[in-house]
Structures are given as C-alpha cells and as structure tokens.
C-alpha cells in the first residue's frame, strides 16, 4: 500500500472512530437531558436490597424510640425537636452527659469506633443468604465521617475518616471487595451536606466546590459503585449543589458512566420528580409510580443501631416479607436497613430477620425477582380500604392490619400479584382455606397452577369471570416454617 492510500485509510479510521464516539449519548447538565437516561434493568429486577448505616454514631447507639440514632450528633448539639410527640429534644443530651460526660465531644466517638470485629466476607455471605441483590453502605452520613480515606474528610482541621482514626481501615474498600466476589451489586450512600462542617455553616459555595464535589468524585472513581445513593440534599436547591453538572460528569466521563444507578435526592424539591429511581422512606402504603422506585426503612425504626429499641420494636419476619411482597406488587424495591454496632457486629436479631427473609425467598423468589406488576397489584376483601396506622413508625403493624389482623370493618389484601414472562403469581398472606378465588381472571385452557411451598399442582376451575383454585388438604409438615409467611401460587401463562 502506498503512502497516499495509507493516509486515506488512516483518515477514514479516524472519522469512523469519531462517529462511533459521538454515537454514545452525551448528557447535558439539564434535567431534560439527564432524565432521559434509563435506570439500568438490573435494578428493577433486583427487588430486595440491604441498607447499612454504620459510623461513629454506632458507638453510643442510642436515641429515643421512634427517632433515628444516626442523628445522635444532631440531637446532642442542637436539642432540636424531632420524632414523635414524646420526644422533647434533650433526651440524647441527658443520656450523653450521664454516660460519657458533658465534656465528651461527639468527635471523640471516632476513636471509639473500632470496627475490630468487622469481617467483610462474613457480611457478604450473610447478605447472599438473605437473598439480597444489592446493598447500600453509608460511606458518609450527615456527621461527615467517611468510611474511606479521603483528603476532604480532614478539611475541618483534624482527621475524620476510618483510615486515620478508629478502625484504621478502609471500610468502603474492604466491603466493596468482598461484595464484588458475589453476585450482589455494591451501592454507596453519600450525604451531600454535613451538619457541623464550618464551610457548610458559613460558606456553602466553598463547601460545594472544595468539599462536596471533589469528595463524591473521589468516592465514585475509587470504588466504582453500582448504586450512588444521595441524601442530605433538602436544605439547598440543586443549582446551588451543582448536581446537574455532577450528574453530567457521572454519566459522560466517570468510569461507571454506563452502569451506575442513582436515586432522586439531588436538591431541595427534587425527590419523585428528577434523577434516577424514586425513593420513599417509611411510607405506609406502597405507591404506584411509572418509574422504578424503592422504599427504605429499618427493621425497627432507627436506621443506625439503637440499643434503646427492644424486640417488640422490630418488625416480625412475616411483616417484613409482606412488606416486600406489597412493595414488589406495585413495582418497587425494598431497601431494608441493618445497623451494625461500633465493633462491626451485626446484631443477632437483624441477622435472624435477614436469614428468615432469605429462606422465604429461596422458595418463593421466582415470584419476586425480575417480576413486574400484574393487572391489579392486590385483591381486596369487602370492607373499608383506607386503614391508617396510629403511629408513624409501626410499619409492620400496618401491613399486618392490612392482611391478617384487620380492625373491625376494614378490608384486607387477600392476594398480591406479580408476573414474569413465563407465569403469573398470586401471593397470599394466609392459607386460603378450601379455595382461593382470583377475581376477573380467565387463564387459557391447560394452565398449570403450582404451590411453590410444596411443588404440588393445584386443581382449578372457571366460575364466570373468576378463576377458583381448589386447595389441597392442608398439611403443615409439608412446608418449612418460613414458608408460612406467605404462600405463592405459580400460574403458567
């Protein structure tokens, strides 16, 4: 090939490369452009994730019932009114002064946060057994302490990260490495604001430019998370956070530009309007969005470990499974929180709940993972459908009242519905008795119905517009204890 032909070929190659590069969608720093980026399919298929709140607040691990223990520093330094009507605002201060002394600063908990019992591979194994498809770890909460080494963590004038004080370990890095050995997706929570950072209090533009933006970019580039879960956005508009510019960088230039999943917490008034998937938090009823969404909540009320919560404050395994089913039937994910203690141990009651859920999913997971809503999300009995819980934080009580323990005159959800490409699924919160009627449904001839708990084929007949499943004689010895939380019937398409 002569020189002119080589030059022509090189020019064509360069032009082809330029066209190919241009073909990849570039996102502009506007919501009109950013909102066109789809949420990766794996997220909508995952259905069940585990939230992990862990940091210096895990050392005192205390706040009044019905409040968040991870807000310990805020309660301590502001005595602000928050939570239920019984929270006067100074309970944490009183507890702290009695336990640690009035001269003991919150920042001293950084040294006491040892994480010496933290075994990341054991955590990862537990999460796998729980049936979780993704986790979200608090890389930095509102107190500003980072679970990874980062220059911006120390711009207060002292070390405030897990590599230099306390554990002397890169906790984000260790857990990320362990999780990435499994099929589970790794997510990172990041708080945009910090309650008592001097720049946040006195110079917010400097906080954004010199602290927030370089720090969150460092987190993304260093650990390449599958999920970036923003929070702490509510005090300032997205323009002041420069969120759109950051997200354009994230989607166009970062090393995870094609795979990262984000939520909707990127500025005051943004939730459920812009961003990635929508988030709810302790919302009693599962909403129905046209966009992928996720409900986050604790097993009790607090996200961080709260020693003040008792066994009765934790939702039962049945309640947690029914929460998951309720949310999935309307197209959402459940991000269920655990709070390890300051040494890195996951409290046994939390481990037990996760393992219980995992056992139920082992039998019934095909009705959860990868599914989408079907005709109606659920089927109501006769009665009033607008039951409201008496106390905001008793989430488990709410779903039990809507299913197996109703107040007089109120309706219950008799069945929840999901579907995938091969089958429809009817999930019922209690054994139906002699038969289960699915209203307004006429399957095709030859449709096969199977009870997942036992593998038995279930007889059925058509009664007008309704499909009627004829239950076999109930034998509790045929099912595992965890299968009693909810029964699933697979109806082939």
């Amino acid at each position: 090939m002569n020189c002119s032909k080589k030059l022509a070929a090189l020019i064509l190659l360069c032009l082809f490369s330029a066209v190919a590069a241009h073909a990849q969608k570039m996102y502009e720093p506007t919501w009109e452009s950013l909102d066109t980026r789809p949420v990766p399919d794996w997220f909508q298929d995952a259905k069940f994730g585990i939230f992990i709140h862990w940091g210096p607040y895990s050392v005192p691990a205390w706040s009044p019932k019905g409040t968040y223990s991870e807000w310990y520093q805020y309660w301590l330094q502001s005595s602000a009114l928050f939570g239920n009507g019984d929270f006067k605002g100074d309970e944490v201060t009183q507890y702290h002064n009695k336990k640690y002394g009035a001269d003991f600063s919150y920042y001293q908990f950084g040294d006491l946060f040892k994480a010496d019992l933290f075994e990341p591979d054991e955590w990862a194994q537990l999460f796998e057994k729980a049936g979780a498809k993704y986790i979200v770890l608090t890389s930095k909460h509102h107190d500003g302490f980072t679970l990874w080494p980062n220059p911006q963590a120390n711009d207060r004038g002292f070390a405030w990260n897990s590599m230099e004080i306390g554990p002397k370990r890169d906790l984000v890095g260790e857990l990320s490495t362990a999780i990435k050995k499994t099929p589970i997706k790794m997510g990172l929570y990041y708080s945009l604001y910090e309650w008592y950072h001097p720049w946040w209090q006195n110079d917010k533009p400097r906080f954004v430019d010199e602290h927030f933006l370089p720090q969150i970019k460092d987190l993304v580039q260093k650990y390449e998370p599958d999920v970036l879960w923003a929070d702490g956005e509510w005090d300032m508009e997205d323009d002041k956070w420069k969120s759109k510019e950051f997200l354009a960088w994230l989607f166009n230039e970062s090393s995870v530009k094609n795979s990262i999943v984000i939520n909707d917490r990127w500025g005051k008034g943004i939730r459920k309007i812009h961003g990635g998937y929508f988030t709810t938090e302790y919302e009693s009823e599962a909403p129905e969005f046209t966009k992928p969404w996720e409900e986050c909540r604790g097993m009790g009320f607090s996200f961080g470990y709260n020693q003040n919560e008792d066994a009765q404050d934790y939702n039962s395994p049945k309640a947690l499974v029914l929460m998951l089913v309720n949310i999935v039937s309307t197209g959402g994910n459940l991000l269920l929180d655990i709070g390890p203690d300051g040494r890195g141990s996951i409290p046994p009651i939390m481990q037990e709940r996760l393992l219980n859920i995992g056992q139920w999913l082992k039998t019934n997971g095909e009705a959860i993972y990868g599914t989408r809503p079907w005709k109606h999300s659920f089927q109501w009995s006769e009665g009033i459908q607008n039951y409201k819980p008496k106390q905001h934080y008793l989430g488990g009580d709410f779903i039990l009242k809507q299913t197996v323990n109703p107040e007089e005159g109120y309706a219950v959800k008799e069945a929840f519905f999901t579907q995938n490409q091969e089958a429809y699924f009817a999930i019922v919160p209690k054994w139906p008795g002699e038969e289960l009627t699915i209203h307004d449904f006429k399957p095709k001839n030859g449709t096969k119905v199977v009870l997942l708990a036992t593998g038995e084929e279930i007889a059925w007949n058509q009664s007008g517009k309704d499909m009627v499943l004829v239950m076999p004689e109930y034998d509790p010895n045929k099912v595992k204890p965890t299968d009693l939380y909810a029964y699933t019937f697979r109806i082939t398409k």
Side-chain angles (χ1 to χ4, degrees), residues 109-115 145 161-162 164-169:
F109 286 125
D111 290 318
L112 300 183
F113 176 57
K114 297 297 187 183
F145 185 89
N161 70 85
S162 67
E164 295 182 67
I165 62 172
K168 305 291 180 67
R169 297 166 68 176

Side-chain angles (χ1 to χ4, degrees), residues 207-365:
F207 179 87
V208 170
D209 290 337
E210 298 183 31
H211 185 85
F212 158 56
L213 288 173
Q215 188 176 64
I216 195 171
K217 287 183 178 181
D218 177 68
L219 182 69
V220 168
Q221 294 293 69
K222 194 172 286 182
Y223 303 105
E224 300 186 328
D226 298 298
V227 180
L228 184 60
W229 213 100
D231 194 30
E233 83 295 356
W234 50 79
D235 275 2
M236 202 159 68
E237 293 75 12
D238 61 288
D239 285 341
K240 294 178 181 177
W241 282 117
K242 299 185 178 178
S243 296
K244 294 188 289 290
E245 290 81 0
F246 166 72
L247 293 175
W249 169 85
L250 186 68
F251 298 158
N252 294 328
E253 301 178 44
S254 76
S255 57
V256 290
K257 61 186 177 184
N258 297 321
S259 60
I260 192 77
V261 177
I262 65 163
N263 66 354
D264 59 349
R265 302 186 178 195
W266 296 100
K268 186 176 182 179
I270 293 299
R271 295 188 194 187
K272 303 177 188 177
I273 299 173
H274 296 301
Y277 65 85
F278 293 163
T279 57
T280 61
E281 185 171 328
Y282 281 96
E283 292 197 9
S284 299
E285 189 53 271
E288 296 189 48
F289 294 120
T290 57
K291 195 167 188 175
W293 67 280
E294 171 194 82
E295 160 77 353
C296 67
R297 60 169 57 235
M299 290 183 177
F301 181 80
S302 179
F303 285 100
Y305 176 48
N306 189 355
Q307 302 175 77
N308 199 30
E309 290 183 334
D310 300 310
Q312 63 265 28
D313 296 308
Y314 282 77
N315 292 305
S316 69
K318 184 178 182 74
L320 294 172
V321 165
L322 291 177
M323 281 184 201
L324 173 65
V325 171
N326 189 40
I327 289 164
V328 171
S329 72
T330 58
N333 290 8
L334 172 61
L335 184 65
L336 183 64
D337 182 79
I338 61 170
D341 65 23
R343 299 191 67 186
S345 292
I346 298 171
I349 192 170
M350 296 183 183
Q351 296 185 45
E352 180 193 40
R353 294 294 189 269
L354 291 180
L355 293 172
N356 290 153
I357 294 169
Q359 282 296 311
W360 186 86
L361 284 167
K362 193 172 182 180
T363 299
N364 301 277

Side-chain angles (χ1 to χ4, degrees), residues 141-211:
H141 202 257
H142 311 323
D143 61 357
F145 185 89
T146 67
L147 302 192
W148 87 99
N150 172 264
Q152 286 75 36
N154 298 347
D155 58 20
R156 287 175 171 78
F158 56 88
W160 193 230
N161 70 85
S162 67
M163 182 61 84
E164 295 182 67
I165 62 172
K168 305 291 180 67
R169 297 166 68 176
D170 179 358
L171 302 177
V172 172
E174 290 186 36
L175 188 57
S176 294
T177 298
I179 291 296
K180 289 179 181 182
K181 296 174 187 175
T182 75
I184 300 171
K185 301 286 189 180
M186 180 70 198
L188 294 173
Y189 166 109
Y190 178 88
S191 173
L192 277 63
Y193 88 152
E194 298 173 18
W195 292 311
Y196 299 108
H197 193 292
W199 298 345
W200 172 253
Q201 293 188 318
N202 302 307
D203 191 347
K204 287 180 172 56
R206 184 181 183 187
F207 179 87
V208 170
D209 290 337
E210 298 183 31
H211 185 85

Side-chain angles (χ1 to χ4, degrees), residues 25 27 34-41 251 258 260-261 276 291-292:
K25 180 174 174 62
Y27 294 93
L34 297 169
D35 286 343
T36 64
R37 184 179 184 270
V39 176
D41 288 340
F251 298 158
N258 297 321
I260 192 77
V261 177
K291 195 167 188 175

Side-chain angles (χ1 to χ4, degrees), residues 9 35 40 59 62 72 76 83 114 124-125 190 224 230 263 266 290 298 306 331 357 378 386 398 439 443-444 473 476:
D35 286 343
V59 176
W62 192 93
Y72 190 96
L76 180 64
K114 297 297 187 183
Q125 290 169 17
Y190 178 88
E224 300 186 328
N263 66 354
W266 296 100
T290 57
N306 189 355
I357 294 169
F378 24 77
N386 64 346
F398 175 78
H439 299 302
K444 66 183 181 182
E473 182 178 351

